[in-house]
Amino acid sequence: MKRGTLRTGLRAASAVAALSLLLAAGCSSSTATSGTTAASKKANLAITFLPKNLGNAYFDTSDKGGKKAIDELGGTYAEVGPAAAAPDAQVQYINTLTQQGVGGIDVSANDKAAICSALQDAMTAGVKVVTYDSDTNPECRNLFINQATADGIAKVEVDMIAKQIGDSGEVAILSASANATNQNAWIDLMKADLASSHPNIKLVDVVYGNDDDQTSFDKTAGLLSAHPNLKGIISPTTVGIAAAARYLSTSSAKGKVALTGLGTPNQMRQYVKDGTVTAFALWNPADLGYLAAYATAALIKGEITGKTGDTFTAGTLGKFTVGANSTVLLGDPYQFTKDNIDQFNF
Ligand code: RAM
C-alpha cells in the first residue's frame, strides 16, 4: 500500500471529535482574511475549501482534514459551497473569494470547464488554485491533488462487483452529477475494464443521482424496475451508494442485487452489518483535504510552483512529489468489509 493511504484512519475518531469542537466554536465561518499587501512579506495563508456541495459527509471529512493542516500552518481556514452539485454553481463563490483576496482556493470541481475562467481570473489576481477530489482542465489550476489513480479506483470497483455477482450478469452504475470530472473518468475506465476482462458482465445503464440523497434513492428504485434481471449496482459516489443501500436494505432485492462502489465507513456501516453490502472502497478523505491544504500553502509560500518533480512536506503525511500534469497522488483505494469496518470512523 502506498504511503498516505488510510494511514490516519485509525486515529480519525479522536481527531474528528476534536475538530467538531473547533468547528462548533465557529471556526468554519466563511470569512476570509484580506490579501497581503505587496509590501508585506508574510504569506497569505487564508485558504478556502470549495467542495462540490455542502451537506455531503465525504466533504465534511475532507475539509476538516484541510482545516487541521491550516491550523498547523497558522493560516485561516474557511469553507463555502453551493447546496446542489450543479456545473456552474461554484463560479459565484470563486469570484467572491478572488475579490476577498484569499491566498488559496481548494476546489472539487462539479464541471471541468464551467468554473475554468473564474479560476483563471483568480490565478491572475494571485490566488493559488488547487483542485482536490475532482479536477478541472489542467490550465484552470496550479495543482490537482488526486485521491488515488483513476485506473486503481475503476479497477477496485469492477473487481468487487465481479466477485459479488460471480463475474456474470447485468449491472448498472448510479453516479453523481453527469459532468463530474472524477466520476466520469472512473466510469470510462470501468467500461473499458468490463469490456476487456469481464465478457459475461453487461453494463445496461448509467444513471445520475447528482450527489443528492433523494434523487439517488429514486434513481435506485428506477434501476430496479427498469432492469428486472439486474444483478448488481456500482455507485462511485458516497452519496449514491448510501442512498442505494438504504433503498435496497428494505426492498425485496436485498441480498439479490449486489451493491458496491465508493462509500464512507460511517454511512455504510449499518448496511454492511445487515448484509445489504459486502464490500466497498474509498480512501481517507481527511488525508486528502490535509494534503491539499499543505500543497496550497507550499504554493502560496513559493516553496513549489506545481511543476513535475517539485517536492514538499505535508505535515504528518510526510514528503510528496509533484507528478505529471501538476498532479499529486495521495495513495491507493482501500476496501472495507464487515471484518475491518469497525476500525474506521469517518
Ligand atoms: C462523493 C463525491 C466525491 C467523490 C466521492 C467518492 O462524495 O462525488 O467527489 O470523490 O463521492
Side-chain angles (χ1 to χ4, degrees), residues 73-135:
L73 289 157
T76 306
Y77 164 86
E79 184 197 56
V80 296
D88 58 1
Q90 293 166 310
V91 169
Q92 60 177 301
Y93 295 94
I94 296 164
N95 291 339
T96 301
L97 292 169
T98 303
Q99 282 159 15
Q100 289 175 334
V102 296
I105 299 174
D106 285 9
V107 57
S108 171
N110 283 313
D111 185 298
K112 65 184 178 184
I115 61 174
C116 192
S117 66
L119 290 176
Q120 285 176 326
D121 289 348
M123 289 190 287
T124 302
V127 180
K128 299 302 178 191
V129 173
V130 171
T131 51
Y132 69 105
D133 176 69
S134 182
D135 200 8

Side-chain angles (χ1 to χ4, degrees), residues 52 56 58-59 108 133 147 176 182-183 186 211 236-239 262 282-283:
K52 285 179 171 176
N56 175 346
Y58 171 88
F59 289 115
S108 171
D133 176 69
Q147 48 269 57
N182 51 349
Q183 274 90 8
W186 304 333
D211 269 350
T237 144
T238 59
V239 179
L262 305 175
L282 200 68
W283 42 91

